[in-house]
């Protein structure tokens, strides 16, 4: 189990009492990303988000990636209060999660047990197919690789300061970033630039990182509703 403290305690208790299941661990995101026991796990339940994080507010992605590095057979069930967020959906598909549920779908013991024992569905596509395009994301882009590079290079903070944005150092960084991200250059209103442009601009990179790593506080899912029929 990889969820917040209160939810984790409840989920571990429910599943520990379920015949046929043995809970190996209940972990927070940071511990889970480095946990050495994933090779022995058959089913992992991973919370996608942690709004308290200052770096990447979707740390569940790194946990899914850590599982997949050592265990290709595990069933990975993602739960989230941000079910409609297109960035989370894209990132979890890239990380190779198997299933994707809104928290409300697993809100009682019987449904939680049934889902862990026999999950259904998949990680859905975005509701707005053009959302990724507006950020320069295509089928060939690598959103998780871009986020990992940006965090390793402290790119969000450097972009906020953005001293001398026309320097060669920034051009080199844009090029290195896009070797990982593979974004198409797009304007702030989601159009292809009028002039030929191989690399995303610094403002585009900032917009992309905000989309990919930050919980959205407004929109159809911001009140915690799933947009689903229970």
């Amino acid at each position: 189990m990889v969820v917040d403290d209160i939810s984790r305690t409840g989920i571990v208790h429910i599943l520990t009492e379920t015949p046929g299941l043995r809970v190996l661990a209940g972990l927070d995101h940071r511990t889970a990303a480095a946990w050495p026991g994933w090779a022995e796990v058959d089913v992992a339940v991973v919370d996608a988000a942690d709004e308290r994080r200052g770096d990447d507010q979707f740390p569940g992605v790194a946990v899914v990636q850590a599982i997949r590095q050592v265990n290709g057979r595990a069933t990975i069930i993602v739960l989230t209060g941000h079910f409609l967020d297109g960035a989370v959906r894209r990132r979890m598909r890239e990380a190779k999660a198997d299933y994707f549920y809104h928290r409300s779908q697993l809100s009682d013991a019987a449904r939680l047990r049934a889902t862990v024992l026999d999950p259904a569905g998949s990680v859905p596509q975005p509701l707005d197919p053009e959302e990724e395009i507006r950020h320069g994301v295509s089928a060939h882009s690598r959103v998780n690789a871009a986020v990992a590079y940006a965090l390793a290079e402290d790119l969000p903070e450097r972009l906020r300061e953005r001293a001398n944005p026309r320097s060669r150092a920034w051009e080199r960084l844009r090029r290195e970033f896009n070797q990982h991200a593979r974004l198409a250059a797009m304007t702030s209103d989601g159009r292809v630039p009028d002039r030929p442009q191989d690399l995303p601009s610094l403002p585009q990179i900032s917009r992309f990182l905000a989309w990919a790593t930050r919980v959205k506080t407004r929109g159809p899912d911001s009140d915690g509703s799933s947009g689903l029929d229970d």
Side-chain angles (χ1 to χ4, degrees):
M1 306 300 107
V2 186
V3 290
D4 64 82
D5 293 344
I6 295 175
S7 297
R8 184 167 63 248
T9 300
I11 291 174
V12 168
H13 175 74
I14 291 168
L15 295 182
T16 299
E17 299 295 316
T18 302
L21 292 179
R22 180 166 65 97
V23 178
L24 297 183
L27 310 168
D28 60 46
H29 288 104
R30 294 188 190 278
T31 304
W35 190 54
W38 288 120
E40 306 304 318
V41 168
D42 294 317
V43 180
V45 179
V46 180
D47 194 344
D50 183 348
E51 299 180 28
R52 301 167 296 181
R53 294 283 289 260
D55 49 0
D56 182 3
Q57 293 184 336
F58 302 116
V61 174
V63 175
V64 174
Q65 290 177 313
I67 297 170
R68 283 292 178 241
Q69 285 178 359
V70 297
N71 191 334
R73 62 173 178 78
T75 298
I76 302 178
I77 300 169
V78 174
L79 63 91
T80 183
H82 306 280
F83 186 86
L84 303 182
D85 190 303
V88 181
R89 294 181 175 197
R90 169 63 184 244
R91 294 187 64 189
M92 284 301 181
R93 288 198 308 275
E94 282 192 11
K96 295 182 171 57
D98 295 299
Y99 302 99
F100 194 79
Y101 289 86
H102 191 276
R103 283 179 177 275
S104 65
Q105 295 176 282
L106 307 181
S107 60
D108 64 70
R111 297 175 81 176
L112 174 63
R113 291 189 185 104
T115 297
V116 170
L117 291 169
D118 187 20
S122 62
V123 182
Q125 296 290 326
L127 290 178
D128 178 4
E130 295 187 0
E131 178 185 31
E132 293 184 359
I133 296 173
R134 292 194 294 270
H135 288 91
V137 176
S138 70
H140 303 291
S141 299
R142 301 186 301 178
V143 175
N144 291 334
V147 170
Y149 173 83
L151 295 180
E153 297 295 324
D154 197 24
L155 192 49
E157 182 62 30
R158 293 165 68 183
L159 285 168
R160 280 191 287 271
E161 298 174 356
R162 214 179 325 160
N164 192 13
R166 297 186 181 278
S167 70
R168 290 184 178 180
W170 276 115
E171 182 177 354
R172 182 174 63 252
L173 187 144
R174 289 167 60 204
R175 192 169 301 281
E176 290 176 357
F177 170 82
N178 215 40
Q179 287 174 353
H180 293 82
R182 301 178 183 174
L183 300 183
M186 301 296 286
T187 64
S188 61
D189 56 359
R191 295 182 297 103
V192 176
D194 294 332
R195 293 179 295 178
Q197 183 175 323
D198 294 332
L199 299 174
S201 65
L202 297 180
Q204 179 185 342
I205 294 173
S206 293
R207 293 192 300 272
F208 165 82
L209 290 175
W211 170 75
T213 67
R214 313 309 292 176
V215 165
K216 287 66 170 177
T217 56
R218 297 181 180 179
D221 204 28
S222 61
D223 63 356
S225 62
S226 65
L228 301 171
D229 294 326
D230 289 336

